[in-house]
């Protein structure tokens, strides 16, 4: 039987405002296993891992590493004890090379003074080969794929001595091919004697890669299960407390008038000698969901920035209804019935020091429902906040809770609730369910479909392949700033085939209606 490598006993975390994030959590990690941790948003998963990695301190409880009680006061302490963490949002410097990022802070030096760049490059190849994680040490991080960034982050932890790896949502932005490659690499690391904690909302992947699964709900451990003995449906029920739909009985779309027209958009990339967008054209009509798929960094970010008024393109045009919007300020664009769910819910989507109520009002400061001249209609404002909290099951003590005290998934629910509850005619939804649990994702998906059925036009940019295939009425695929495929019936496209388009290994001769001519 495998030895217990790590034991967490009675871990409790109570914040200064009285919020209990963890309550008497017990968790055991066996040496040489891949152990998944699942739970809905706000369940306490992230807090527990922050305690293990030294970013937070437990109010009560103890940590034992190889049977010895250990205090982990900082990430430096965690690393010294062989614990490394790969965060969902990569901690890399885009302007530096892969090798420079790998050895940042521990660079090989000439004569103890100057960084030895040639030595760093050769060492990066050696480290890559030793762990079976191929990287290009000479490439700039700004120019590499998301999959290689993932490998680089893992190698950074391994080079610094990690034998226990904490991976937070490691497949969130990967294609099926990249995810499968990562799983193969994790199995190799396991064979080399490493132990992995795998945090994910994708239960299919959790089942496939894990040896054991621990479910956390409302800050408490519900149980630990052998992955082979528990179904996805059972995991969903334990996490959310109810059955979660695996698919939707989606009504046929009834496409109306054009709501968004994009013609010939071109824009230069900031970080590379190439175009971020190359003559991109498409149309979105009322009553449909147009999915935008692609590996991150292939032009989707620049497209959304242009559509929301943050960036002016080098050439091309954009109209909402019959109104050109390029050069317009965000309040003018919003006045045309446009709402926007941003990818970065923290920096762009919310005011972290504001309350839930204040954040829900951010896009409705002129609505007569909530304002009478300069005076706020408190009853309507509070009723709106309570309705959104209930509908999206936002875990909080109440509407006056600061956003900064919510989990990332619950912040996402606030942002989605705000943008959808304003009844837009055009919704730009960028990664709408990233970082949320299966129950919250189901709620958001149903809301998007209800809006579409009511006549709204929805542009959904998502790295979740199942999401774009399941929800989209039509789908466009980006690769290196171009639309390489347009699909009229996305549900008939396999995840693997979509992945080939996203990787640039397959493209349509004419990405329009009609059959694709494929280049392998």
């Amino acid at each position: 039987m495998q030895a217990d490598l790590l034991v967490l006993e009675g871990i409790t975390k109570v914040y200064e405002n009285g919020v209990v994030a963890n309550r008497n959590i017990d968790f055991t990690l066996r040496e040489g296993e891949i152990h998944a941790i699942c739970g809905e948003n706000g369940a306490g998963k992230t807090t527990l891992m922050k305690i293990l990695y030294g970013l937070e301190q437990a109010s009560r409880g103890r940590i034992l590493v190889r049977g010895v009680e250990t205090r982990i006061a900082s990430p430096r302490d965690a690393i010294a004890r062989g614990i490394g963490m790969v965060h969902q949002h990569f901690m890399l410097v885009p302007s530096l090379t892969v090798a420079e990022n790998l050895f940042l802070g521990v660079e090989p030096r000439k004569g103890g003074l100057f960084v030895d760049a040639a030595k760093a490059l050769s060492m990066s190849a050696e480290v890559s080969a030793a762990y079976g994680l191929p990287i290009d040490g000479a490439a700039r991080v700004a120019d590499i794929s998301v999959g290689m960034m993932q490998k680089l982050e893992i190698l950074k932890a391994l080079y610094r001595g990690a034998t226990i790896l904490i991976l937070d949502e490691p497949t969130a932005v990967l294609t099926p091919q990249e995810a499968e490659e990562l799983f193969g690499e994790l199995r190799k690391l396991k064979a080399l004697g490493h132990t992995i904690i795998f945090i994910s909302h994708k239960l299919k992947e959790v089942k496939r890669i894990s040896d054991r699964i621990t479910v956390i709900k409302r800050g408490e451990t519900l149980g630990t299960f052998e992955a082979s003995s528990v179904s996805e449906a059972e995991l969903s029920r334990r996490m959310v407390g109810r059955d979660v739909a695996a698919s939707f009985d989606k009504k046929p779309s009834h496409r109306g008038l054009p709501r968004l027209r994009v013609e010939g958009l071109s824009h230069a990339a900031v970080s590379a000698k190439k175009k971020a967008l190359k003559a991109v054209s498409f149309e979105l009509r009322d009553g449909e969901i147009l999915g935008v798929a692609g590996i991150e960094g292939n032009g989707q970010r620049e497209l959304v920035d242009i559509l929301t008024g943050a960036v002016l393109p080098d050439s091309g045009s954009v109209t909402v209804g019959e109104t050109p919007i390029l050069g317009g300020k965000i309040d003018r664009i919003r006045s045309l019935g446009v709402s926007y769910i941003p990818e970065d819910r923290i920096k762009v989507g919310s005011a972290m020091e504001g309350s839930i109520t204040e954040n829900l009002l951010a896009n409705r400061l002129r609505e007569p429902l909530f304002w009478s001249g300069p005076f706020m209609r408190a009853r309507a404002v509070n009723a709106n906040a309570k309705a959104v909290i209930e509908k999206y099951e936002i875990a909080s003590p109440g509407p006056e809770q600061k956003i900064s005290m919510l989990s990332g998934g619950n912040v996402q629910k606030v942002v989605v609730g705000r943008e959808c509850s304003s009844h837009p005619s055009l919704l730009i939804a960028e990664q709408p369910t990233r970082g949320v649990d299966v129950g919250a994702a189901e709620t958001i998906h149903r809301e998007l479909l209800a809006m579409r059925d009511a006549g709204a036009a929805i542009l959904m940019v998502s790295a979740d392949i199942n999401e774009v295939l399941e929800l989209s009425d039509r789908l466009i695929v980006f690769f290196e700033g171009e639309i390489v495929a347009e699909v009229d019936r996305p549900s008939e496209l396999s995840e693997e085939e979509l992945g080939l388009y996203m990787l640039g290994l397959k493209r349509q001769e004419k990405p329009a209606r009609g059959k694709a001519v494929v280049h392998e």
Side-chain angles (χ1 to χ4, degrees):
M1 185 175 176
Q2 294 164 300
D4 290 342
L5 174 61
L6 173 77
V7 177
L8 305 182
E9 288 185 354
I11 298 294
T12 297
K13 176 65 178 180
V14 183
Y15 287 100
E16 291 180 0
N17 64 351
V19 172
V20 181
N22 296 145
R23 183 182 287 106
N24 294 319
I25 284 185
D26 294 327
F27 173 77
T28 301
L29 185 68
R30 296 172 182 164
E31 190 159 14
E33 74 171 341
I34 299 177
H35 193 133
I37 297 181
C38 299
E40 61 186 337
N41 297 124
K45 306 183 302 295
T46 298
T47 300
L48 187 66
M49 291 303 102
K50 283 182 176 179
I51 289 170
L52 180 55
Y53 192 57
L55 293 168
E56 297 270 9
Q57 298 301 302
S59 305
R60 292 192 302 275
R62 62 179 190 153
I63 300 173
L64 293 89
V65 181
R66 297 188 185 279
V68 178
E69 186 168 347
T70 305
R71 182 172 184 268
I72 302 176
S74 68
R76 185 184 295 272
D77 285 348
I79 292 166
R81 288 159 178 78
I83 301 169
M85 185 168 183
V86 177
H87 300 270
Q88 182 177 348
H89 302 288
F90 300 143
M91 307 294 184
L92 301 172
V93 183
S95 59
L96 299 182
T97 66
V98 168
E100 288 167 339
N101 271 276
L102 177 56
F103 301 113
L104 193 61
V106 289
E107 300 90 346
R109 296 184 178 272
K110 296 177 181 178
L113 184 61
F114 300 104
V115 173
D116 190 336
K119 179 66 173 175
L121 189 60
S122 65
M123 284 174 61
S124 70
E126 292 169 6
V127 173
S128 171
Y131 292 107
L133 292 163
I135 56 170
D136 179 0
R140 276 199 322 154
V141 164
D143 300 327
I144 65 176
S145 70
V146 175
M148 190 179 290
M149 290 182 195
Q150 182 79 265
K151 294 182 180 70
L152 174 56
E153 285 282 29
I154 293 172
L155 284 173
K156 279 173 57 183
L158 293 173
Y159 179 73
R160 286 158 178 78
T163 54
I164 299 172
L165 271 177
I166 304 168
L167 303 181
D168 188 6
E169 298 286 350
T171 64
V173 294
L174 302 184
T175 65
Q177 289 86 350
E178 289 173 319
E180 198 55 49
E181 184 179 354
L182 174 65
F183 291 161
E185 290 156 351
L186 295 182
R187 292 185 185 104
K188 288 179 187 175
L189 290 176
K190 176 183 170 181
L192 289 171
H194 290 82
T195 305
I196 297 162
I197 300 175
F198 187 91
I199 304 170
S200 179
H201 290 104
K202 299 181 179 180
L203 298 183
K204 184 184 295 184
E205 293 181 351
V206 163
K207 281 273 295 170
R208 196 159 84 248
I209 191 63
S210 306
D211 299 302
R212 292 192 300 156
I213 303 166
T214 292
V215 178
I216 297 176
K217 185 175 178 64
R218 295 175 184 170
E220 299 183 33
T221 308
L222 286 190
T224 296
F225 311 91
E226 296 293 330
S228 59
S229 67
V230 62
S231 67
E232 290 178 44
E234 177 65 15
L235 287 172
S236 293
R237 281 194 295 274
R238 288 182 179 273
M239 284 170 54
V240 183
R242 58 179 169 82
D243 289 326
V244 177
S247 60
F248 297 101
D249 184 16
K250 191 170 70 172
K251 300 175 184 175
S253 64
H254 297 288
R255 299 173 67 206
L257 296 173
R259 178 60 52 181
L260 174 68
R261 284 195 184 94
V262 174
E263 293 287 346
L265 274 193
S266 291
H267 190 64
V270 174
S271 62
K273 296 178 180 178
K274 58 186 180 182
K275 287 284 187 183
L277 293 175
K278 305 174 188 175
V280 167
S281 299
F282 63 87
E283 182 180 88
L284 169 62
R285 291 177 173 264
D286 290 336
E288 72 169 343
I289 298 176
L290 176 63
V292 180
I295 297 171
E296 290 192 3
N298 280 274
Q300 309 96 302
R301 168 76 268 154
E302 288 80 3
L303 172 65
V304 171
D305 282 346
I306 290 167
L307 296 182
T308 55
V311 169
L312 270 175
D314 298 333
S315 60
S317 65
V318 178
T319 58
V320 173
E322 300 298 328
T323 305
I325 66 167
L326 292 182
K329 294 182 179 180
I330 186 62
D331 58 347
R332 176 173 171 270
I333 295 173
R334 280 191 176 274
S335 72
L336 299 172
V338 180
S339 283
Y340 171 42
I341 299 169
E343 174 184 16
D344 192 331
R345 58 199 174 209
I346 304 300
K347 293 181 180 178
V348 181
S350 56
M352 295 303 286
E353 289 308 307
S355 67
I356 295 174
T357 297
E358 290 166 338
N359 274 271
L360 290 174
L361 279 181
N363 63 336
R364 309 179 78 173
L365 296 178
R366 295 187 179 130
E367 283 196 24
L369 175 63
F370 301 121
W371 301 91
S372 177
F375 302 104
M376 184 175 68
R377 298 182 187 272
R379 184 174 296 177
V381 167
N382 291 333
N384 174 68
K386 289 177 180 177
V388 172
I389 288 171
E390 182 178 355
K391 180 175 184 177
Y392 290 92
E393 298 178 341
I394 298 168
S396 75
E400 297 313 309
Q401 177 71 42
K402 274 190 177 182
I403 286 283
S404 59
M405 296 305 298
L406 301 181
S407 70
N410 280 295
V411 174
Q412 181 75 359
K413 294 180 194 178
V414 172
V415 174
V416 172
R418 179 187 66 217
E419 299 300 323
C420 292
S421 63
S422 63
H423 307 295
S425 55
L426 170 61
L427 174 66
I428 299 169
E430 190 180 17
Q431 314 297 346
T433 60
R434 175 170 290 175
V436 303
D437 58 66
V438 289
E442 180 193 38
T443 299
I444 293 170
H445 289 162
R446 289 194 186 283
E447 179 66 12
L448 295 180
L449 289 172
M451 292 172 65
R452 164 257 212 189
D453 292 344
I458 299 173
L459 184 74
M460 184 180 67
V461 182
S462 178
D464 186 323
I465 286 183
N466 183 66
E467 182 171 69
V468 290
L469 291 178
E470 186 79 22
L471 259 68
S472 303
D473 299 303
R474 290 189 300 119
L475 176 65
I476 54 178
V477 187
F478 274 65
F479 178 72
E480 293 187 346
E482 295 181 279
I483 295 176
V484 296
E486 183 174 339
V487 183
D488 277 337
R489 292 177 293 278
S491 61
E492 297 178 7
L493 191 69
S494 70
E495 291 188 10
E496 290 70 24
E497 187 175 7
L498 177 55
L500 293 175
Y501 284 123
M502 292 168 67
L503 291 166
L505 301 176
K506 188 175 182 179
R507 66 167 62 210
Q508 292 177 0
E509 184 70 37
K510 293 181 180 180
R513 314 296 192 267
K515 294 183 179 180
V517 178
V518 175
H519 298 284
E520 303 283 2

